[in-house]
Amino acid sequence: MRKDMCLAFIPGVFATFALGLSFMSSFWCETIAFEPLMADGENSFVLPTRTFGPFYAKELVAATVNTGGVEYLVVGDRCVSLPDVISKDAKWKTTQAFAVITAIIGGVMLFWTWISPCFDVSNRFWKQSGFVYIFCSFTQGLTLLLLESNACLNNAAISSFYSHKCKWDWGTRTNISAVVFWFATGVLMIAVIPPAKAPERPPPETQTVTYNQNVDGTVEETNVVKGTYVAGEGIVNNTDPEEGAPTELA
């Protein structure tokens, strides 16, 4: 594999990581977290941490499972739609909008980057694609507005048993990583030479050669004409020693 083809795959690898991190941070339910307040007294209990994403919230689910006549209480969590009591402000809606924009543009660019080695890509178009990835870095960064929205500062789904100021969960750190990977992909696209298809081999070139056979039986070359290859055709000129005229054979 040619060197430029190998280098062309590097931005694709970075973009794949960027898109994956973007989806995990934007379309999951663990971007921000609310810790329960510590309760005093003998009857105090530990509440689960509440977490939210731009589109979903994590909900604690309890179910009874009957196994061999014995019932067990199984507790788990899952991502669900945001509660109806939540009022999304402009920053929260902006976060959702740019999460979708980044996913669409980034997904299209990622697909194009992986198939680009199959086409002849101009250097200008390749570098312009790098600026599109940098734009994705910008739109991904705008999803961090969630930290300044009602989701974090005035979340109606959070009771008095919880802190009313959110903290970062792993989704926020993943979001920042996605910003870095989008930006790195753009820089690589600008710095790396675009892939080019291997040049096609020209058709084989043949020559039309004229030979004269002398009376004494010797053969000498009298004329050489270069030509373009035509499959299945060829001309050989031969001089008949008895008639002295050239004979054309196809």
Side-chain angles (χ1 to χ4, degrees), residues 25-34 50-58 80-101 139-158 164 166 175:
S25 63
S26 299
F27 300 99
W28 196 242
C29 56
E30 297 181 64
T31 304
I32 57 175
F34 293 88
R50 297 290 304 275
T51 61
F52 295 84
F55 297 92
Y56 302 101
K58 187 167 70 173
V80 297
S81 299
L82 295 171
D84 294 334
V85 297
I86 287 179
S87 176
K88 292 182 286 188
D89 60 353
K91 291 182 179 179
W92 197 338
K93 293 177 181 179
T94 300
T95 297
Q96 292 180 327
F98 279 106
V100 174
I101 290 172
T139 57
Q140 183 72 50
L142 287 177
T143 62
L144 292 172
L145 285 173
L146 188 72
L147 300 174
E148 299 295 327
S149 69
N150 283 349
C152 188
L153 304 178
N154 188 24
N155 196 320
I158 298 301
H164 285 275
C166 75
N175 196 340

Side-chain angles (χ1 to χ4, degrees), residues 14 27 38 73 142 169 203 242:
F14 272 73
F27 300 99
M38 297 299 296
L73 181 64
L142 287 177
D169 205 349
E242 296 181 359

Side-chain angles (χ1 to χ4, degrees), residues 138-241:
F138 173 72
T139 57
Q140 183 72 50
L142 287 177
T143 62
L144 292 172
L145 285 173
L146 188 72
L147 300 174
E148 299 295 327
S149 69
N150 283 349
C152 188
L153 304 178
N154 188 24
N155 196 320
I158 298 301
S159 68
S160 58
F161 295 104
Y162 288 86
S163 170
H164 285 275
K165 181 68 171 66
C166 75
K167 70 172 188 177
W168 290 12
D169 205 349
W170 66 266
T172 300
R173 292 183 284 273
T174 303
N175 196 340
I176 295 173
S177 299
V179 172
V180 174
F181 271 91
W182 284 127
F183 186 81
T185 303
V187 172
L188 285 171
M189 292 284 285
I190 295 172
V192 172
I193 299 174
K197 293 176 65 175
E200 296 183 0
R201 294 182 178 180
E205 186 180 84
T206 60
Q207 297 176 340
T208 300
V209 183
T210 303
Y211 296 93
N212 285 335
Q213 186 174 7
N214 300 319
V215 179
D216 58 0
T218 60
V219 178
E220 63 179 7
E221 183 179 293
T222 61
N223 187 28
V224 178
V225 179
K226 291 186 178 181
T228 302
Y229 171 73
V230 179
E233 296 186 9
I235 296 177
V236 177
N237 293 329
N238 180 44
T239 300
D240 192 313

Side-chain angles (χ1 to χ4, degrees), residues 97-137:
F98 279 106
V100 174
I101 290 172
T102 305
I104 294 175
I105 297 178
V108 172
M109 290 301 302
L110 174 62
F111 176 76
W112 178 85
T113 302
W114 278 114
I115 66 172
S116 60
C118 301
F119 304 94
D120 287 322
V121 182
S122 67
N123 189 58
R124 180 180 179 182
F125 188 75
W126 180 263
K127 293 185 183 299
Q128 288 175 343
S129 301
F131 287 108
V132 176
Y133 277 119
I134 293 176
F135 175 75
C136 287
S137 174

